Every structure is written in structure tokens, then in C-alpha cells.
Amino acid sequence: MPDTPFLTQRFDDALAYASRLHRHQTRKGNGIPYISHLLAVAAIALENGADEDQAIAALLHDAVEDQGGLPRLEEIRRRYGDDVAAMVADCTDSHEEPKPAWHPRKEAYIASLAHKPARSLAVSLADKTHNAAAINADLRAHGAAVWSRFTGGKGGTLWYYRALANAFRAHAPGIAAERFAREVDEMEELAVRG
């Protein structure tokens, strides 16, 4: 047993903070408490080799986009430091309200991956991996009706995830990118079935 714990009170605090921030939020179209996504993203990040700051960023990766914008980012910076705040900012596809149109926003996010640090890419990759796995589970359970939940519909969603898989393979190659790409492959297969 190591003398110094890998995850400290900072992680515990971030877990409680994330739970409070997202308490009234559910996953798109299925009513599952949103914290399940944040826990899964943190778990995937840790499984992929994340350190504590990355695990905290994984818990908070949607806090800016969904729960308060730039003032929330500054609160995260005060609570957890510049490294965590930078990763959370890098996982946010828009700080603007209202958000720009879906397709240009997603194109810009994909293009931005080429310029983001590896630490941020690892957190984003964990997020996208869980999102793809959740879509696949819903497709297996509910079929094509799932596509109506997404702004981009079936075509836009499939385009986005394939573009992400290609970008992660190029800018963050390795086991984590391949895990995500397998989820995207499965999504495409499920889409063809119906």
C-alpha cells in the first residue's frame, strides 16, 4: 500500500461539488442522474492512467458548459487550481450564450484538438468514450428513436463521432483512442441495423 494516497481529499471534495452542481440534471433523453456520466468519465480517465488533477477535471468537465459559464470556471480555478481549470476549459466546446450553431461549434471543437495539451485530450477522450458507450447502450435498448435526442440527428452524430475518433487517433494515439474508436465502430454498426 503506498504511503501517499493517489486520490486525496481534493478528489473527494470535487466529487461532492460535481454532485451538487449537477444534482437536478439528467442524461439526455433517459432520465438517468447526470452524476452517473461524471463518475463514468472519471473512472475511464483513471483506467486510462489519469492523475488526480485529470480525474477532478473529468468530474467537472461539463460544469462550465452546463452549470454557470465562465464564472463557474473561475470558481473551479480557485477551488482546484490552474491545471484543473485549464483542462475543464479545454473540454468545453463553447463559453458563449447562446451557443453557436451545432455543426460549426462541433467543427471548431474537432479542429481545436490539434492544439490542446495531452492532459486535456485524455479527459476529453474519457468523456467522449462514455458518451459513445451510452449512445450504443441506448441504441441496443431503444433502436433508431435514440437519434431524435441529438441536435445533429443520426447523420450529424455519426459524422461528429467519426471525426472525433480520427482526431483522437491523430493527436492522442494509443490504447484510449483505440477504445473510443471501437465504440464509434459499434455505433456505426448499430446505426446500419436500424
Side-chain angles (χ1 to χ4, degrees), residues 60-99:
L60 301 175
H61 75 275
D62 279 333
V64 174
E65 194 167 317
D66 295 345
Q67 302 296 329
L70 291 174
R72 180 69 64 202
L73 182 61
E74 288 313 307
E75 183 177 0
I76 289 168
R77 186 180 316 284
R78 284 192 304 276
R79 289 179 78 119
Y80 304 107
D82 290 339
D83 188 37
V84 171
M87 287 183 279
V88 170
D90 283 343
C91 288
T92 303
D93 72 7
S94 176
H95 297 107
E96 299 174 45
E97 282 300 327
K99 290 181 182 179

mmCIF file of all heavy atoms in Angstrom, residues 60-99:
data_model
loop_
_atom_site.group_PDB
_atom_site.id
_atom_site.type_symbol
_atom_site.label_atom_id
_atom_site.label_comp_id
_atom_site.label_asym_id
_atom_site.label_seq_id
_atom_site.Cartn_x
_atom_site.Cartn_y
_atom_site.Cartn_z
ATOM 1 N N LEU A 60 -15.563 17.448 -13.417
ATOM 2 C CA LEU A 60 -16.056 18.819 -13.608
ATOM 3 C C LEU A 60 -16.104 19.254 -15.068
ATOM 4 O O LEU A 60 -16.391 20.420 -15.356
ATOM 5 C CB LEU A 60 -15.181 19.788 -12.801
ATOM 6 C CG LEU A 60 -15.136 19.526 -11.297
ATOM 7 C CD1 LEU A 60 -14.153 20.464 -10.613
ATOM 8 C CD2 LEU A 60 -16.522 19.653 -10.678
ATOM 9 N N HIS A 61 -15.877 18.329 -15.996
ATOM 10 C CA HIS A 61 -15.694 18.723 -17.399
ATOM 11 C C HIS A 61 -16.914 19.411 -18.006
ATOM 12 O O HIS A 61 -16.776 20.178 -18.943
ATOM 13 C CB HIS A 61 -15.283 17.513 -18.247
ATOM 14 C CG HIS A 61 -16.389 16.559 -18.532
ATOM 15 N ND1 HIS A 61 -16.748 15.550 -17.665
ATOM 16 C CD2 HIS A 61 -17.230 16.465 -19.590
ATOM 17 C CE1 HIS A 61 -17.758 14.876 -18.178
ATOM 18 N NE2 HIS A 61 -18.075 15.415 -19.352
ATOM 19 N N ASP A 62 -18.103 19.182 -17.485
ATOM 20 C CA ASP A 62 -19.315 19.818 -18.015
ATOM 21 C C ASP A 62 -19.828 20.969 -17.152
ATOM 22 O O ASP A 62 -20.849 21.578 -17.467
ATOM 23 C CB ASP A 62 -20.439 18.791 -18.173
ATOM 24 C CG ASP A 62 -20.316 17.984 -19.454
ATOM 25 O OD1 ASP A 62 -19.729 18.492 -20.424
ATOM 26 O OD2 ASP A 62 -20.809 16.840 -19.486
ATOM 27 N N ALA A 63 -19.128 21.280 -16.084
ATOM 28 C CA ALA A 63 -19.615 22.295 -15.148
ATOM 29 C C ALA A 63 -19.714 23.675 -15.783
ATOM 30 O O ALA A 63 -20.668 24.413 -15.531
ATOM 31 C CB ALA A 63 -18.720 22.350 -13.907
ATOM 32 N N VAL A 64 -18.763 24.027 -16.618
ATOM 33 C CA VAL A 64 -18.764 25.353 -17.249
ATOM 34 C C VAL A 64 -19.884 25.426 -18.282
ATOM 35 O O VAL A 64 -20.662 26.379 -18.313
ATOM 36 C CB VAL A 64 -17.387 25.653 -17.883
ATOM 37 C CG1 VAL A 64 -17.424 26.951 -18.676
ATOM 38 C CG2 VAL A 64 -16.323 25.714 -16.793
ATOM 39 N N GLU A 65 -19.962 24.398 -19.122
ATOM 40 C CA GLU A 65 -20.937 24.383 -20.213
ATOM 41 C C GLU A 65 -22.376 24.307 -19.688
ATOM 42 O O GLU A 65 -23.268 24.939 -20.235
ATOM 43 C CB GLU A 65 -20.642 23.183 -21.111
ATOM 44 C CG GLU A 65 -21.337 23.230 -22.437
ATOM 45 C CD GLU A 65 -20.775 22.198 -23.398
ATOM 46 O OE1 GLU A 65 -19.544 22.038 -23.464
ATOM 47 O OE2 GLU A 65 -21.586 21.561 -24.070
ATOM 48 N N ASP A 66 -22.596 23.529 -18.628
ATOM 49 C CA ASP A 66 -23.961 23.264 -18.159
ATOM 50 C C ASP A 66 -24.357 24.004 -16.890
ATOM 51 O O ASP A 66 -25.546 24.099 -16.594
ATOM 52 C CB ASP A 66 -24.138 21.757 -17.888
ATOM 53 C CG ASP A 66 -24.027 20.908 -19.134
ATOM 54 O OD1 ASP A 66 -24.101 21.459 -20.252
ATOM 55 O OD2 ASP A 66 -23.852 19.685 -18.993
ATOM 56 N N GLN A 67 -23.381 24.485 -16.130
ATOM 57 C CA GLN A 67 -23.701 24.984 -14.793
ATOM 58 C C GLN A 67 -23.010 26.296 -14.440
ATOM 59 O O GLN A 67 -22.438 26.438 -13.372
ATOM 60 C CB GLN A 67 -23.359 23.915 -13.731
ATOM 61 C CG GLN A 67 -24.067 22.596 -13.906
ATOM 62 C CD GLN A 67 -25.575 22.716 -13.759
ATOM 63 O OE1 GLN A 67 -26.070 23.552 -13.008
ATOM 64 N NE2 GLN A 67 -26.311 21.893 -14.483
ATOM 65 N N GLY A 68 -23.027 27.270 -15.347
ATOM 66 C CA GLY A 68 -22.580 28.580 -14.892
ATOM 67 C C GLY A 68 -21.574 29.328 -15.732
ATOM 68 O O GLY A 68 -21.170 30.432 -15.358
ATOM 69 N N GLY A 69 -21.100 28.758 -16.828
ATOM 70 C CA GLY A 69 -20.226 29.504 -17.722
ATOM 71 C C GLY A 69 -18.906 29.913 -17.102
ATOM 72 O O GLY A 69 -18.370 29.250 -16.215
ATOM 73 N N LEU A 70 -18.374 31.036 -17.579
ATOM 74 C CA LEU A 70 -17.051 31.481 -17.149
ATOM 75 C C LEU A 70 -16.952 31.780 -15.652
ATOM 76 O O LEU A 70 -15.902 31.500 -15.051
ATOM 77 C CB LEU A 70 -16.613 32.685 -17.982
ATOM 78 C CG LEU A 70 -16.305 32.342 -19.450
ATOM 79 C CD1 LEU A 70 -16.013 33.608 -20.257
ATOM 80 C CD2 LEU A 70 -15.169 31.348 -19.560
ATOM 81 N N PRO A 71 -18.008 32.298 -14.996
ATOM 82 C CA PRO A 71 -17.894 32.437 -13.543
ATOM 83 C C PRO A 71 -17.663 31.089 -12.837
ATOM 84 O O PRO A 71 -16.912 31.002 -11.865
ATOM 85 C CB PRO A 71 -19.235 33.056 -13.129
ATOM 86 C CG PRO A 71 -19.684 33.798 -14.360
ATOM 87 C CD PRO A 71 -19.228 32.947 -15.510
ATOM 88 N N ARG A 72 -18.270 30.026 -13.356
ATOM 89 C CA ARG A 72 -18.051 28.690 -12.789
ATOM 90 C C ARG A 72 -16.608 28.257 -13.009
ATOM 91 O O ARG A 72 -15.983 27.675 -12.124
ATOM 92 C CB ARG A 72 -19.004 27.683 -13.427
ATOM 93 C CG ARG A 72 -18.856 26.279 -12.894
ATOM 94 C CD ARG A 72 -19.305 26.130 -11.465
ATOM 95 N NE ARG A 72 -20.727 26.407 -11.387
ATOM 96 C CZ ARG A 72 -21.361 26.772 -10.272
ATOM 97 N NH1 ARG A 72 -20.706 26.886 -9.143
ATOM 98 N NH2 ARG A 72 -22.660 27.035 -10.273
ATOM 99 N N LEU A 73 -16.045 28.576 -14.183
ATOM 100 C CA LEU A 73 -14.658 28.212 -14.454
ATOM 101 C C LEU A 73 -13.729 28.897 -13.458
ATOM 102 O O LEU A 73 -12.775 28.286 -12.967
ATOM 103 C CB LEU A 73 -14.279 28.590 -15.892
ATOM 104 C CG LEU A 73 -12.866 28.208 -16.319
ATOM 105 C CD1 LEU A 73 -12.644 26.708 -16.250
ATOM 106 C CD2 LEU A 73 -12.596 28.731 -17.736
ATOM 107 N N GLU A 74 -14.001 30.157 -13.142
ATOM 108 C CA GLU A 74 -13.156 30.855 -12.168
ATOM 109 C C GLU A 74 -13.294 30.251 -10.773
ATOM 110 O O GLU A 74 -12.308 30.167 -10.028
ATOM 111 C CB GLU A 74 -13.469 32.349 -12.163
ATOM 112 C CG GLU A 74 -12.971 33.047 -13.423
ATOM 113 C CD GLU A 74 -11.525 32.669 -13.773
ATOM 114 O OE1 GLU A 74 -10.636 32.782 -12.910
ATOM 115 O OE2 GLU A 74 -11.289 32.254 -14.926
ATOM 116 N N GLU A 75 -14.484 29.800 -10.436
ATOM 117 C CA GLU A 75 -14.664 29.131 -9.138
ATOM 118 C C GLU A 75 -13.876 27.820 -9.113
ATOM 119 O O GLU A 75 -13.240 27.493 -8.108
ATOM 120 C CB GLU A 75 -16.151 28.866 -8.878
ATOM 121 C CG GLU A 75 -16.404 28.234 -7.525
ATOM 122 C CD GLU A 75 -17.879 28.041 -7.229
ATOM 123 O OE1 GLU A 75 -18.737 28.382 -8.062
ATOM 124 O OE2 GLU A 75 -18.168 27.534 -6.136
ATOM 125 N N ILE A 76 -13.900 27.072 -10.201
ATOM 126 C CA ILE A 76 -13.126 25.828 -10.295
ATOM 127 C C ILE A 76 -11.639 26.130 -10.162
ATOM 128 O O ILE A 76 -10.902 25.428 -9.456
ATOM 129 C CB ILE A 76 -13.448 25.100 -11.624
ATOM 130 C CG1 ILE A 76 -14.871 24.525 -11.560
ATOM 131 C CG2 ILE A 76 -12.416 24.006 -11.927
ATOM 132 C CD1 ILE A 76 -15.412 24.045 -12.889
ATOM 133 N N ARG A 77 -11.175 27.213 -10.803
ATOM 134 C CA ARG A 77 -9.764 27.608 -10.703
ATOM 135 C C ARG A 77 -9.391 27.902 -9.244
ATOM 136 O O ARG A 77 -8.349 27.462 -8.757
ATOM 137 C CB ARG A 77 -9.499 28.831 -11.574
ATOM 138 C CG ARG A 77 -8.037 29.250 -11.651
ATOM 139 C CD ARG A 77 -7.823 30.474 -12.523
ATOM 140 N NE ARG A 77 -8.552 30.464 -13.776
ATOM 141 C CZ ARG A 77 -8.226 29.747 -14.858
ATOM 142 N NH1 ARG A 77 -7.163 28.969 -14.823
ATOM 143 N NH2 ARG A 77 -8.946 29.815 -15.960
ATOM 144 N N ARG A 78 -10.256 28.631 -8.536
ATOM 145 C CA ARG A 78 -9.983 28.953 -7.126
ATOM 146 C C ARG A 78 -9.955 27.692 -6.262
ATOM 147 O O ARG A 78 -9.112 27.558 -5.376
ATOM 148 C CB ARG A 78 -11.031 29.917 -6.574
ATOM 149 C CG ARG A 78 -10.856 31.353 -7.019
ATOM 150 C CD ARG A 78 -11.722 32.321 -6.221
ATOM 151 N NE ARG A 78 -13.134 31.981 -6.257
ATOM 152 C CZ ARG A 78 -13.990 32.325 -7.222
ATOM 153 N NH1 ARG A 78 -13.561 33.035 -8.257
ATOM 154 N NH2 ARG A 78 -15.257 31.976 -7.158
ATOM 155 N N ARG A 79 -10.878 26.778 -6.511
ATOM 156 C CA ARG A 79 -11.001 25.583 -5.675
ATOM 157 C C ARG A 79 -9.935 24.544 -5.979
ATOM 158 O O ARG A 79 -9.438 23.882 -5.052
ATOM 159 C CB ARG A 79 -12.373 24.942 -5.861
ATOM 160 C CG ARG A 79 -13.519 25.724 -5.275
ATOM 161 C CD ARG A 79 -14.832 25.014 -5.541
ATOM 162 N NE ARG A 79 -14.990 23.909 -4.620
ATOM 163 C CZ ARG A 79 -15.983 23.791 -3.745
ATOM 164 N NH1 ARG A 79 -16.929 24.700 -3.693
ATOM 165 N NH2 ARG A 79 -16.037 22.758 -2.934
ATOM 166 N N TYR A 80 -9.605 24.346 -7.280
ATOM 167 C CA TYR A 80 -8.795 23.181 -7.665
ATOM 168 C C TYR A 80 -7.529 23.528 -8.445
ATOM 169 O O TYR A 80 -6.756 22.627 -8.762
ATOM 170 C CB TYR A 80 -9.650 22.189 -8.464
ATOM 171 C CG TYR A 80 -10.873 21.789 -7.682
ATOM 172 C CD1 TYR A 80 -12.130 22.266 -8.036
ATOM 173 C CD2 TYR A 80 -10.759 20.977 -6.557
ATOM 174 C CE1 TYR A 80 -13.246 21.925 -7.298
ATOM 175 C CE2 TYR A 80 -11.873 20.640 -5.806
ATOM 176 C CZ TYR A 80 -13.112 21.113 -6.184
ATOM 177 O OH TYR A 80 -14.224 20.793 -5.428
ATOM 178 N N GLY A 81 -7.328 24.814 -8.748
ATOM 179 C CA GLY A 81 -6.075 25.229 -9.367
ATOM 180 C C GLY A 81 -6.143 25.415 -10.870
ATOM 181 O O GLY A 81 -7.117 25.045 -11.527
ATOM 182 N N ASP A 82 -5.072 25.998 -11.395
ATOM 183 C CA ASP A 82 -4.990 26.350 -12.814
ATOM 184 C C ASP A 82 -5.008 25.124 -13.722
ATOM 185 O O ASP A 82 -5.603 25.158 -14.796
ATOM 186 C CB ASP A 82 -3.715 27.153 -13.096
ATOM 187 C CG ASP A 82 -3.759 28.547 -12.496
ATOM 188 O OD1 ASP A 82 -4.871 29.048 -12.222
ATOM 189 O OD2 ASP A 82 -2.675 29.139 -12.307
ATOM 190 N N ASP A 83 -4.339 24.041 -13.321
ATOM 191 C CA ASP A 83 -4.256 22.848 -14.163
ATOM 192 C C ASP A 83 -5.651 22.255 -14.398
ATOM 193 O O ASP A 83 -6.033 21.978 -15.539
ATOM 194 C CB ASP A 83 -3.335 21.817 -13.504
ATOM 195 C CG ASP A 83 -3.036 20.624 -14.396
ATOM 196 O OD1 ASP A 83 -2.892 20.796 -15.624
ATOM 197 O OD2 ASP A 83 -2.930 19.506 -13.854
ATOM 198 N N VAL A 84 -6.419 22.091 -13.333
ATOM 199 C CA VAL A 84 -7.777 21.556 -13.463
ATOM 200 C C VAL A 84 -8.630 22.505 -14.301
ATOM 201 O O VAL A 84 -9.343 22.073 -15.216
ATOM 202 C CB VAL A 84 -8.418 21.311 -12.081
ATOM 203 C CG1 VAL A 84 -9.896 20.973 -12.215
ATOM 204 C CG2 VAL A 84 -7.681 20.194 -11.337
ATOM 205 N N ALA A 85 -8.555 23.790 -14.002
ATOM 206 C CA ALA A 85 -9.373 24.765 -14.743
ATOM 207 C C ALA A 85 -9.027 24.756 -16.233
ATOM 208 O O ALA A 85 -9.927 24.840 -17.080
ATOM 209 C CB ALA A 85 -9.181 26.166 -14.166
ATOM 210 N N ALA A 86 -7.757 24.636 -16.567
ATOM 211 C CA ALA A 86 -7.363 24.605 -17.976
ATOM 212 C C ALA A 86 -7.945 23.391 -18.682
ATOM 213 O O ALA A 86 -8.446 23.493 -19.812
ATOM 214 C CB ALA A 86 -5.840 24.616 -18.097
ATOM 215 N N MET A 87 -7.908 22.238 -18.030
ATOM 216 C CA MET A 87 -8.470 21.032 -18.646
ATOM 217 C C MET A 87 -9.976 21.136 -18.808
ATOM 218 O O MET A 87 -10.531 20.735 -19.843
ATOM 219 C CB MET A 87 -8.089 19.789 -17.836
ATOM 220 C CG MET A 87 -6.630 19.413 -17.992
ATOM 221 S SD MET A 87 -6.190 17.894 -17.121
ATOM 222 C CE MET A 87 -5.979 18.512 -15.440
ATOM 223 N N VAL A 88 -10.657 21.677 -17.807
ATOM 224 C CA VAL A 88 -12.110 21.869 -17.911
ATOM 225 C C VAL A 88 -12.424 22.822 -19.067
ATOM 226 O O VAL A 88 -13.319 22.558 -19.875
ATOM 227 C CB VAL A 88 -12.697 22.374 -16.576
ATOM 228 C CG1 VAL A 88 -14.150 22.808 -16.739
ATOM 229 C CG2 VAL A 88 -12.585 21.290 -15.503
ATOM 230 N N ALA A 89 -11.678 23.910 -19.163
ATOM 231 C CA ALA A 89 -11.890 24.861 -20.267
ATOM 232 C C ALA A 89 -11.666 24.187 -21.614
ATOM 233 O O ALA A 89 -12.425 24.413 -22.563
ATOM 234 C CB ALA A 89 -10.970 26.069 -20.111
ATOM 235 N N ASP A 90 -10.653 23.335 -21.697
ATOM 236 C CA ASP A 90 -10.357 22.645 -22.955
ATOM 237 C C ASP A 90 -11.441 21.637 -23.339
ATOM 238 O O ASP A 90 -11.566 21.290 -24.514
ATOM 239 C CB ASP A 90 -9.007 21.934 -22.864
ATOM 240 C CG ASP A 90 -7.826 22.877 -22.996
ATOM 241 O OD1 ASP A 90 -8.019 24.014 -23.466
ATOM 242 O OD2 ASP A 90 -6.713 22.459 -22.625
ATOM 243 N N CYS A 91 -12.200 21.157 -22.369
ATOM 244 C CA CYS A 91 -13.284 20.201 -22.651
ATOM 245 C C CYS A 91 -14.590 20.900 -23.020
ATOM 246 O O CYS A 91 -15.556 20.234 -23.399
ATOM 247 C CB CYS A 91 -13.520 19.298 -21.441
ATOM 248 S SG CYS A 91 -12.204 18.103 -21.189
ATOM 249 N N THR A 92 -14.628 22.199 -22.916
ATOM 250 C CA THR A 92 -15.845 22.966 -23.167
ATOM 251 C C THR A 92 -15.840 23.438 -24.615
ATOM 252 O O THR A 92 -14.905 24.099 -25.051
ATOM 253 C CB THR A 92 -15.905 24.171 -22.203
ATOM 254 O OG1 THR A 92 -15.829 23.670 -20.861
ATOM 255 C CG2 THR A 92 -17.183 24.959 -22.369
ATOM 256 N N ASP A 93 -16.900 23.100 -25.360
ATOM 257 C CA ASP A 93 -16.889 23.471 -26.777
ATOM 258 C C ASP A 93 -17.387 24.887 -27.030
ATOM 259 O O ASP A 93 -17.219 25.406 -28.122
ATOM 260 C CB ASP A 93 -17.593 22.444 -27.669
ATOM 261 C CG ASP A 93 -19.101 22.417 -27.544
ATOM 262 O OD1 ASP A 93 -19.682 23.276 -26.866
ATOM 263 O OD2 ASP A 93 -19.717 21.510 -28.138
ATOM 264 N N SER A 94 -17.983 25.525 -26.012
ATOM 265 C CA SER A 94 -18.385 26.917 -26.173
ATOM 266 C C SER A 94 -18.616 27.564 -24.816
ATOM 267 O O SER A 94 -19.228 26.962 -23.942
ATOM 268 C CB SER A 94 -19.670 27.011 -26.999
ATOM 269 O OG SER A 94 -20.098 28.350 -27.067
ATOM 270 N N HIS A 95 -18.117 28.783 -24.671
ATOM 271 C CA HIS A 95 -18.395 29.570 -23.469
ATOM 272 C C HIS A 95 -19.472 30.613 -23.750
ATOM 273 O O HIS A 95 -19.857 31.358 -22.862
ATOM 274 C CB HIS A 95 -17.123 30.273 -22.984
ATOM 275 C CG HIS A 95 -16.043 29.333 -22.581
ATOM 276 N ND1 HIS A 95 -14.916 29.140 -23.335
ATOM 277 C CD2 HIS A 95 -15.920 28.514 -21.513
ATOM 278 C CE1 HIS A 95 -14.133 28.250 -22.741
ATOM 279 N NE2 HIS A 95 -14.729 27.860 -21.640
ATOM 280 N N GLU A 96 -19.919 30.683 -24.990
ATOM 281 C CA GLU A 96 -20.881 31.710 -25.396
ATOM 282 C C GLU A 96 -22.308 31.318 -25.038
ATOM 283 O O GLU A 96 -22.651 30.143 -25.024
ATOM 284 C CB GLU A 96 -20.810 31.916 -26.913
ATOM 285 C CG GLU A 96 -19.474 32.386 -27.414
ATOM 286 C CD GLU A 96 -19.429 32.417 -28.932
ATOM 287 O OE1 GLU A 96 -20.410 32.904 -29.536
ATOM 288 O OE2 GLU A 96 -18.440 31.943 -29.499
ATOM 289 N N GLU A 97 -23.122 32.317 -24.757
ATOM 290 C CA GLU A 97 -24.569 32.134 -24.554
ATOM 291 C C GLU A 97 -25.284 33.159 -25.405
ATOM 292 O O GLU A 97 -25.006 34.341 -25.276
ATOM 293 C CB GLU A 97 -24.946 32.295 -23.077
ATOM 294 C CG GLU A 97 -24.629 31.090 -22.225
ATOM 295 C CD GLU A 97 -25.327 29.815 -22.656
ATOM 296 O OE1 GLU A 97 -26.466 29.888 -23.168
ATOM 297 O OE2 GLU A 97 -24.738 28.734 -22.505
ATOM 298 N N PRO A 98 -26.180 32.786 -26.263
ATOM 299 C CA PRO A 98 -26.476 31.388 -26.592
ATOM 300 C C PRO A 98 -25.324 30.758 -27.360
ATOM 301 O O PRO A 98 -24.502 31.446 -27.964
ATOM 302 C CB PRO A 98 -27.723 31.489 -27.465
ATOM 303 C CG PRO A 98 -27.649 32.840 -28.090
ATOM 304 C CD PRO A 98 -26.961 33.727 -27.072
ATOM 305 N N LYS A 99 -25.289 29.420 -27.327
ATOM 306 C CA LYS A 99 -24.235 28.694 -28.028
ATOM 307 C C LYS A 99 -24.355 28.919 -29.536
ATOM 308 O O LYS A 99 -25.454 29.049 -30.058
ATOM 309 C CB LYS A 99 -24.367 27.196 -27.739
ATOM 310 C CG LYS A 99 -24.011 26.816 -26.326
ATOM 311 C CD LYS A 99 -24.141 25.315 -26.148
ATOM 312 C CE LYS A 99 -23.839 24.928 -24.721
ATOM 313 N NZ LYS A 99 -23.972 23.483 -24.505
#
